[in-house]
C-alpha cells in the first residue's frame, strides 16, 4: 500500500471518530429535561406546613420538586394560590377550568423560592395531582 492511500484511510477513520464524538456529545448536552411527573417529591404535605419549614431554611428545597395540598384562595388562567400563602404557576400545557375557589387541590411543582416581603412560597411548572 502506498503512502497516499494510508493517509486517506487514517483521515477517514479520524473523521468518523470525531463525527461520532460530536453526535453523542450533542445528544447528551441537548437531551430533554425530565418532566415534573417523573421526578420524586422532596416534600409531600400541606402548603401551610411547607411554608413553616421553608421560613427557617429555604435553601434545602431550592430547585426541588414538592407536592402540596391546600384550599384554593385565588385562581387565574395561569396560576393558583393555596391558603393565601403558596403561589403556584401552572404548567403551560394544562388548564385550570375545572378548579374553583375554595376547592381543595393537590399540586406538584418546582420550588423556586420564598418571598419574605409577601410571606409567600413560590412554585413553577405545577401540575395537578388527581388521586
Amino acid at each position: 500500500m502506498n503512502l497516499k492511500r494510508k493517509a486517506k484511510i487514517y483521515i477517514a477513520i479520524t473523521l468518523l471518530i470525531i463525527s461520532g464524538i460530536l453526535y453523542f456529545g450533542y445528544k447528551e448536552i441537548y437531551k430533554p429535561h425530565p418532566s415534573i411527573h417523573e421526578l420524586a417529591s422532596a416534600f409531600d404535605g400541606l402548603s401551610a406546613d411547607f411554608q413553616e419549614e421553608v421560613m427557617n431554611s429555604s435553601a434545602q428545597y431550592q430547585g426541588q420538586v414538592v407536592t402540596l395540598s391546600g384550599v384554593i384562595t385565588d385562581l387565574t388562567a395561569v396560576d393558583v394560590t393555596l391558603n393565601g400563602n403558596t403561589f403556584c404557576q401552572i404548567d403551560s400545557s394544562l388548564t385550570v377550568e375545572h378548579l374553583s375557589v375554595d376547592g381543595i387541590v393537590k399540586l406538584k411543582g418546582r420550588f423556586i423560592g420564598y418571598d419574605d416581603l409577601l410571606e409567600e412560597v413560590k412554585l413553577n411548572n405545577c401540575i395537578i395531582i388527581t388521586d
Side-chain angles (χ1 to χ4, degrees):
M1 222 185 315
N2 68 26
L3 190 57
K4 285 186 177 184
R5 186 175 174 129
K6 280 185 181 181
K8 288 179 183 179
I9 290 173
Y10 287 137
I11 289 173
I13 290 173
T14 304
L15 288 175
L16 282 174
I17 291 172
I18 290 173
S19 326
I21 291 171
L22 290 175
Y23 174 76
F24 288 112
Y26 175 81
K27 286 292 191 183
E28 183 65 27
I29 291 172
Y30 292 106
K31 66 182 174 184
H33 296 286
S35 71
I36 296 293
H37 293 284
E38 300 168 356
L39 299 173
S41 293
F43 181 88
D44 191 351
L46 298 173
S47 65
D49 295 340
F50 185 68
Q51 182 185 15
E52 289 177 18
E53 194 159 330
V54 297
M55 282 174 65
N56 299 326
S57 64
S58 65
Q60 75 181 42
Y61 290 107
Q62 192 68 35
Q64 298 289 320
V65 174
V66 296
T67 304
L68 303 177
S69 58
V71 177
I72 299 172
T73 54
D74 189 25
L75 178 66
T76 67
V78 293
D79 58 61
V80 174
T81 303
L82 300 178
N83 299 334
N85 61 15
T86 304
F87 178 80
C88 305
Q89 183 181 15
I90 301 297
D91 191 341
S92 60
S93 65
L94 301 176
T95 61
V96 294
E97 295 169 351
H98 61 283
L99 299 178
S100 63
V101 176
D102 294 330
I104 296 175
V105 70
K106 189 172 189 178
L107 299 172
K108 184 176 181 181
R110 181 169 290 116
F111 175 70
I112 56 173
Y114 178 72
D115 187 349
D116 291 331
L117 184 62
L118 298 175
E119 294 183 353
E120 192 173 63
V121 172
K122 297 197 181 273
L123 304 175
N124 70 352
N125 298 334
C126 292
I127 57 171
I128 300 162
I129 304 292
T130 55
D131 294 327

